[in-house]
């Protein structure tokens, strides 16, 4: 789903919404900074009105250059937010899953601006 906000009918029986957002050509300094990633999570949760549960986990790993970078997990009261930041390609792979509705397009726009990416894609799945 690109360039359009997802409209969820209140009568829909969806239990939750999952969005996968890929952001390309991100600023290398932002995606390689654990504190910037944590700040992103705080701002994103505020933006989409999700309550964080516990601390944001940010871990650097990857012996293989292709996958090396930070990974992040943030539990939220309605599920979780996670991401991997690939150093080799300066790409952010962000996933947001929640049983509380939110606008995936808004998340995509915010994340792309925060990480200074040149373009992005979003795929949305309603979970039943």
């Amino acid at each position: 789903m690109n360039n359009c906000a997802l409209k969820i009918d209140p009568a829909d029986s969806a239990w939750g919404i999952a969005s996968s957002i890929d952001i390309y050509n991100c600023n290398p300094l932002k995606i390689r900074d654990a504190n910037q990633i944590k700040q992103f999570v705080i701002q994103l949760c505020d933006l989409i009105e999700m309550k964080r549960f516990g601390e944001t986990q940010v871990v650097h790993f990857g012996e293989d250059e292709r996958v090396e970078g930070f990974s992040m997990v943030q539990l939220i009261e309605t599920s979780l937010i996670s991401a991997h930041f690939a150093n080799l390609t300066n790409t952010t792979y962000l996933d947001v899953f929640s049983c509380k509705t939110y606008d995936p397009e808004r998340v995509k726009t915010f994340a792309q601006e925060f990480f200074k990416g040149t373009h992005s894609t979003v795929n949305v799945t309603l979970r039943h």
Side-chain angles (χ1 to χ4, degrees):
M1 171 177 288
N2 292 320
N3 300 323
C4 63
L6 178 68
K7 305 292 186 220
I8 298 177
D9 184 335
D12 190 333
S13 63
W15 186 83
I17 180 173
S19 56
S20 297
I21 302 164
D22 300 342
I23 307 164
Y24 304 97
N25 303 311
C26 295
N27 179 321
L29 298 176
K30 284 202 162 257
I31 68 167
R32 288 172 178 79
D33 184 330
N35 290 325
Q36 284 286 308
I37 293 168
K38 289 177 183 179
Q39 188 59 42
F40 164 76
V41 171
I42 292 168
Q43 292 179 23
L44 175 61
C45 287
D46 288 347
L47 177 73
I48 60 175
E49 300 177 349
M50 300 293 175
K51 186 172 180 184
R52 291 177 290 121
F53 183 83
E55 294 297 315
T56 306
Q57 302 298 309
V58 180
V59 178
H60 185 271
F61 72 92
E63 292 181 19
D64 180 347
E65 177 184 53
R66 190 177 78 75
V67 298
E68 180 188 3
F70 279 112
S71 282
M72 171 275 291
V73 175
Q74 174 65 62
L75 298 177
I76 56 177
E77 285 195 350
T78 54
S79 200
L80 69 91
I81 298 170
S82 64
H84 183 68
F85 304 88
N87 289 350
L88 182 65
T89 59
N90 293 317
T91 303
T92 297
Y93 299 100
L94 173 65
D95 295 301
V96 180
F97 177 51
S98 176
C99 60
K100 177 182 175 187
T101 61
Y102 64 92
D103 182 350
E105 192 64 32
R106 191 171 187 202
V107 173
K108 180 187 88 143
T109 299
F110 172 74
Q112 183 175 327
E113 289 174 3
F114 187 95
F115 292 113
K116 309 292 187 204
T118 58
H119 61 288
S120 57
T121 60
V122 60
N123 291 293
V124 178
T125 303
L126 294 180
R127 307 290 295 271
H128 293 273

